[in-house]
């Protein structure tokens, strides 16, 4: 078998896909907003063709919906979306700590603590805080040594980051997240699998409550 060498890190279509998806995730493009090719082309600095090619990929993954005579709209976050993703996340992250704790080293715990301190420094920067939150959970998955598990956590983390931006603006949610992460780190240090699983599930359940509360707040704003 002979494969051609890659000439670019990312194709223009992939750059368009990543650019639009990240703008959706961090709410630069809000749920329900219509996507306009010309505007996206100008803001991303590329032609309309790769943007047009990226839309089906985004639609396939559920980030956008194309509606006849209305155009392409960014998907809205629903309570059902949140519940489904949370269910998957519970299973994945429990598996992460089950695999991780028997093999984690002191050096790796120190690296996790560095990520935690980075989050502490970003408490006033909600979008960066949520991005680092994603890094925290993916890094734990990477340390488990299971590559397929890492890929699954990464997929779910994109959804959680999308949900988490709004939730991060709730009073005290960032401070609570830091306490929850600190509790997980303590369990890793103790190498206590059962306590770590409880700490992870508590963090996920409280995140779920925060995200659902932020959705209710938005519904209340719309109805006014």
């Amino acid at each position: 078998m002979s494969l051609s060498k890659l000439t670019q890190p990312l194709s223009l279509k992939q750059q368009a896909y990543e650019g639009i998806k990240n703008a959706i995730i961090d709410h630069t493009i809000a749920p329900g907003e219509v996507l306009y090719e010309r505007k996206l082309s100008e803001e991303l600095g590329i032609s309309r063709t790769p943007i047009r090619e990226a839309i089906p990929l985004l639609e396939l993954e559920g980030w956008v919906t194309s509606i006849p005579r209305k155009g392409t709209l960014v998907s809205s976050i629903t309570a059902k979306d949140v519940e489904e993703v949370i269910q998957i996340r519970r299973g994945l992250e429990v598996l992460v700590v089950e695999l991780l704790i028997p093999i984690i080293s002191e050096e790796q715990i120190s690296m996790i603590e560095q990520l935690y301190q980075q989050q502490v420094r970003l408490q006033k920067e909600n979008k960066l805080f949520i991005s680092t939150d994603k890094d925290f959970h993916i890094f734990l998955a990477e340390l488990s040594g299971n590559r397929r598990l890492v890929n699954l956590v990464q997929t779910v983390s994109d959804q959680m980051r999308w949900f988490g931006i709004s939730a991060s603006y709730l009073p005290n949610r960032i401070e609570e997240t830091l306490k929850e992460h600190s509790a997980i780190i303590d369990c890793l240090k103790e190498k206590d699998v059962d306590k770590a699983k409880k700490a992870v599930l508590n963090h996920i359940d409280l995140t779920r409550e925060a995200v659902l509360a932020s959705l209710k707040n938005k519904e209340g704003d719309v109805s006014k």
Side-chain angles (χ1 to χ4, degrees), residues 168-213:
S168 72
Y169 288 96
L170 291 175
N172 302 318
R173 181 56 200 150
I174 283 181
E175 292 85 350
E176 290 166 356
T177 298
L178 288 170
K179 290 178 184 176
E180 293 154 22
H181 280 189
S182 179
I184 292 170
I185 293 171
D186 288 342
C187 295
L188 294 177
K189 289 178 178 177
E190 295 171 18
K191 296 187 180 294
D192 190 318
V193 174
D194 289 336
K195 281 179 66 176
K197 286 159 66 172
K198 288 177 183 177
V200 164
L201 290 173
N202 179 62
H203 173 49
I204 293 171
D205 289 342
L206 292 174
T207 299
R208 169 189 171 274
E209 291 175 13
V211 172
L212 292 175

Side-chain angles (χ1 to χ4, degrees), residues 3 5 47 53 55 60 72 74 77 81 84-85 94 97 118 122 128 146 151 156 164 167 180 188 213:
L3 298 178
K5 291 184 178 179
S47 71
E53 293 172 339
I55 296 300
L60 185 65
T72 301
V74 175
I77 301 170
D81 294 329
E84 289 180 353
V85 172
V94 164
V97 296
Q118 188 176 345
L122 293 171
L128 290 175
N146 187 318
N151 291 337
V156 172
E180 293 154 22
L188 294 177

Side-chain angles (χ1 to χ4, degrees), residues 72-89:
T72 301
L73 284 69
V74 175
S75 299
S76 295
I77 301 170
T78 68
K80 187 173 188 298
D81 294 329
V82 175
E83 296 290 7
E84 289 180 353
V85 172
I86 288 292
Q87 287 168 3
I88 295 168
R89 186 179 176 190

Side-chain angles (χ1 to χ4, degrees), residues 27-202:
H27 292 230
T28 299
I29 306 175
E33 188 172 331
V34 178
L35 297 182
Y36 295 102
E37 288 180 7
R38 177 182 293 179
K39 183 179 179 182
L40 292 170
S41 172
E42 292 172 353
E43 294 188 355
L44 293 173
I46 56 178
S47 71
R48 293 192 200 183
T49 300
I51 290 169
R52 199 171 297 126
E53 293 172 339
I55 296 300
L57 294 177
L58 294 163
E59 187 164 15
L60 185 65
E61 294 183 1
W63 296 107
V64 302
T65 304
S66 294
I67 302 175
R69 295 184 297 279
K70 285 191 176 181
T72 301
L73 284 69
V74 175
S75 299
S76 295
I77 301 170
T78 68
K80 187 173 188 298
D81 294 329
V82 175
E83 296 290 7
E84 289 180 353
V85 172
I86 288 292
Q87 287 168 3
I88 295 168
R89 186 179 176 190
R90 286 170 64 92
L92 293 176
E93 298 210 16
V94 164
L95 179 56
V96 166
V97 296
E98 286 178 343
L99 295 175
L100 174 58
I101 284 183
I103 61 173
I104 195 166
S105 68
E106 294 299 322
E107 182 182 359
Q108 290 169 338
I109 290 174
S110 177
M111 294 166 71
I112 294 167
E113 288 181 313
Q114 289 174 31
L115 262 179
Y116 173 80
Q117 289 302 324
Q118 188 176 345
Q119 275 199 289
V120 171
R121 292 191 292 272
L122 293 171
Q123 288 183 71
K124 305 299 182 183
E125 303 286 342
N126 293 58
K127 292 182 180 180
L128 290 175
F129 181 90
I130 293 298
S131 180
T132 308
D133 182 272
K134 178 201 74 170
D135 295 340
F136 178 90
H137 290 282
I138 289 177
F139 187 54
L140 294 183
E142 289 173 343
L143 293 178
S144 77
N146 187 318
R147 291 181 292 108
R148 289 173 175 81
L149 180 56
V150 174
N151 291 337
L152 291 169
V153 171
Q154 286 176 328
T155 299
V156 172
S157 71
D158 280 342
Q159 296 283 330
M160 287 306 306
R161 188 154 59 101
W162 186 37
F163 301 159
I165 292 293
S166 295
S168 72
Y169 288 96
L170 291 175
N172 302 318
R173 181 56 200 150
I174 283 181
E175 292 85 350
E176 290 166 356
T177 298
L178 288 170
K179 290 178 184 176
E180 293 154 22
H181 280 189
S182 179
I184 292 170
I185 293 171
D186 288 342
C187 295
L188 294 177
K189 289 178 178 177
E190 295 171 18
K191 296 187 180 294
D192 190 318
V193 174
D194 289 336
K195 281 179 66 176
K197 286 159 66 172
K198 288 177 183 177
V200 164
L201 290 173
N202 179 62

Side-chain angles (χ1 to χ4, degrees), residues 204-224:
I204 293 171
D205 289 342
L206 292 174
T207 299
R208 169 189 171 274
E209 291 175 13
V211 172
L212 292 175
S214 71
L215 288 183
K216 286 184 179 179
N217 288 348
K218 287 202 166 187
E219 288 170 1
D221 290 340
V222 170
S223 63
K224 288 179 182 179

Side-chain angles (χ1 to χ4, degrees), residues 13-30:
K13 180 176 82 171
Q14 189 68 20
Q15 289 180 44
Y17 163 81
E18 294 289 347
I20 297 168
K21 186 178 83 167
N22 285 324
I24 291 171
I25 288 172
D26 71 12
H27 292 230
T28 299
I29 306 175

